[in-house]
Amino acid sequence: MSVILLAACREKMAYQVKIDLDNLPEQTLYVVFESADLKVVDTLAYDGKDACIINQAVEGFRTVTLYYNNQTQWITIYLEPYEKVTVTGDARYPQTVEIKGGEINGMLSLFRKEVAPLLKEQADLSRNNSGEREMTGNNTSRLANINHELHIQAEAFIRKHPDKKVSAILIGEYFSDPENPLFTDELLAVLDEQLDDFYVVKAIKTFSRKAKNTIVGARAPDFSVRDIYGKTYDVTSFGNSYYILAFIPMWEDMCHTKDLFLDELIETFPKGSVNVVLICLDENSEAIQATAEGAVRWNVVTDSAGQAIEMIDTYNVSSIPLCYLIDREGYIVLKTDNGIELRRKLDELIPVK
């Protein structure tokens, strides 16, 4: 079988990965090597017929991820220097492919082989419903059951292999829940102490610590940001009132404030009883000012000087839009991406005459 080579041919490569997948059509593949502080991205023109070999001469990388089908699917491979890796299986089910080479890849493939029927059904249900506006009740219920069973199987595997690095990876994949960090900690305690220095374990511990700082009932983490008008806000800025930290993506004509009913909230409740700070990933403060001067004067914080990114990190935001509702004493009382849920909570807290 012929092969396609990525990177120049050298006498000895630090990493070599052979990709030989079924049902992988002709396309541009994206290859991302990652280390603790470096990410190298390359592309590969794949002909849809032959195997391809990914070479990397530089040492120090932890993983390589292959993205395909317009980057909607991917396979992550864990690297060990000078350990050749092969990836085989059906590209339509990236979670079930077999990866040989290195202990982590072998153990991860072993777990996924045990749960392959569940992973395939999960992928099929998600694929079949991806173009529909709303899943049927049966599909939603079945997906929930599959996810529950996968969690059970993953937990059993972790407890059976507490001294293996793959167990930490499975904790990260299945149990890094920002709403339930205590169970994450419980599973981390199962792991052998020799894994304490494993970078995945360190990352999960950091994630868990941040999650505990931002769950409902926790005191809102300190912050200090400046809005597009130059005014500075921190956790004490709103005195005896509720406030919402609303994390939104690009500004786009205020549509996110409408989707989250933030406009309505500001106008419904007594003046000063609810304040909103919009944390926006846009950097163009002047352009935002031009569209933010409506009936509601928004407290918009952009990513100038990286302050939006810092807030996203501080508040452990993994997806946007997302809102934190903070009470008069500075405690988080709600975390949601649903404007209706936000309105209902404020209705409970603030009587409207």
Side-chain angles (χ1 to χ4, degrees):
M1 177 181 289
S2 60
V3 296
I4 300 171
L5 298 177
L6 176 66
C9 228
R10 302 197 184 183
E11 190 172 329
K12 198 170 186 181
M13 290 292 170
Y15 308 105
Q16 186 177 91
V17 180
K18 182 179 179 180
I19 307 294
D20 193 6
L21 296 171
D22 299 325
N23 298 308
L24 185 63
E26 180 180 358
Q27 61 185 282
T28 298
L29 306 177
Y30 290 84
V31 181
V32 182
F33 282 88
E34 292 189 69
S35 66
D37 51 11
L38 179 64
K39 180 182 291 188
V40 175
V41 181
D42 210 337
T43 58
L44 171 61
Y46 178 63
D47 65 7
K49 301 174 183 177
D50 303 315
C52 59
I53 293 181
I54 301 169
N55 285 325
Q56 175 57 254
V58 179
E59 293 186 26
F61 290 103
R62 294 169 170 174
T63 62
V64 59
T65 302
L66 177 74
Y67 293 89
Y68 57 97
N69 290 347
N70 294 319
Q71 303 181 57
T72 61
Q73 293 179 295
W74 59 89
I75 298 167
T76 297
I77 298 124
Y78 292 86
L79 299 172
E80 294 179 15
Y82 305 101
E83 180 78 49
K84 291 185 178 181
V85 178
T86 61
V87 182
T88 58
D90 191 336
R92 296 173 301 176
Y93 302 98
Q95 285 280 63
T96 68
V97 300
E98 183 174 10
I99 306 175
K100 292 183 179 179
E103 181 185 284
I104 293 177
N105 294 320
M107 293 290 290
L108 198 53
S109 293
L110 176 63
F111 168 73
R112 289 173 175 170
K113 186 175 182 180
E114 292 178 359
V115 298
L118 291 170
L119 293 172
K120 285 186 176 181
E121 187 179 0
Q122 181 189 57
D124 285 337
L125 284 171
S126 298
R127 187 181 298 116
N128 291 340
N129 289 282
S130 62
E132 297 179 12
R133 186 172 184 180
E134 190 172 305
M135 283 190 181
T136 66
N138 288 340
N139 284 356
T140 301
S141 177
R142 180 56 188 154
L143 271 173
N145 289 337
I146 290 172
N147 290 334
H148 179 67
E149 182 61 29
L150 285 171
H151 279 72
I152 291 174
Q153 297 287 348
E155 181 182 352
F157 196 92
I158 291 164
R159 293 185 183 278
K160 185 178 179 180
H161 303 285
D163 59 336
K164 301 298 183 182
K165 291 180 178 180
V166 69
S167 294
I169 290 167
L170 290 176
I171 292 174
E173 285 188 5
Y174 287 96
F175 300 103
S176 288
D177 182 358
E179 306 310 319
N180 189 15
L182 297 181
F183 189 65
T184 305
D185 289 349
E186 180 182 324
L187 286 179
L188 284 172
V190 170
L191 300 183
D192 193 292
E193 290 182 359
Q194 66 181 353
L195 297 178
D196 285 351
D197 290 331
F198 183 34
Y199 70 91
V200 174
V201 172
K202 290 181 176 180
I204 296 171
K205 287 182 177 179
T206 298
F207 175 90
S208 178
R209 183 176 65 253
K210 289 181 179 178
K212 282 182 283 190
N213 289 339
T214 54
I215 59 175
V216 172
R219 179 173 286 279
D222 290 338
F223 65 87
S224 180
V225 292
R226 188 170 56 187
D227 73 5
I228 58 177
Y229 307 105
K231 185 174 181 179
T232 298
Y233 295 93
D234 59 29
V235 291
T236 66
S237 294
F238 301 103
N240 191 32
S241 67
Y242 294 90
Y243 66 94
I244 300 164
L245 292 180
F247 293 86
I248 64 173
M250 309 308 280
W251 178 249
E252 297 177 357
D253 299 326
M254 300 173 65
C255 64
H256 302 290
T257 67
K258 294 183 175 68
D259 292 342
L260 293 168
F261 302 111
L262 299 180
D263 313 61
E264 180 183 319
L265 293 177
I266 291 296
E267 295 172 353
T268 298
F269 293 97
K271 186 175 181 180
S273 62
V274 182
N275 287 279
V276 178
V277 178
L278 297 175
I279 312 296
C280 177
L281 290 177
D282 267 326
E283 294 187 4
N284 193 337
S285 299
E286 292 182 1
I288 294 174
Q289 284 187 44
T291 58
E293 295 284 1
V296 176
R297 181 184 171 94
W298 294 105
N299 307 310
V300 183
V301 174
T302 64
D303 200 42
S304 57
Q307 57 179 357
I309 295 298
E310 184 176 344
M311 284 290 287
I312 284 172
D313 181 64
T314 299
Y315 276 81
N316 203 36
V317 176
S318 57
S319 63
I320 50 180
L322 183 68
C323 292
Y324 282 91
L325 175 60
I326 299 167
D327 71 11
R328 295 164 177 166
E329 285 73 45
Y331 289 90
I332 298 170
V333 293
L334 181 66
K335 178 180 177 182
T336 183
D337 61 358
N338 188 307
I340 295 175
E341 187 176 13
L342 187 59
R343 171 61 192 265
R344 286 174 179 167
K345 187 64 178 179
L346 283 168
D347 281 337
E348 294 176 12
L349 297 170
I350 305 173
V352 179
K353 297 180 181 180

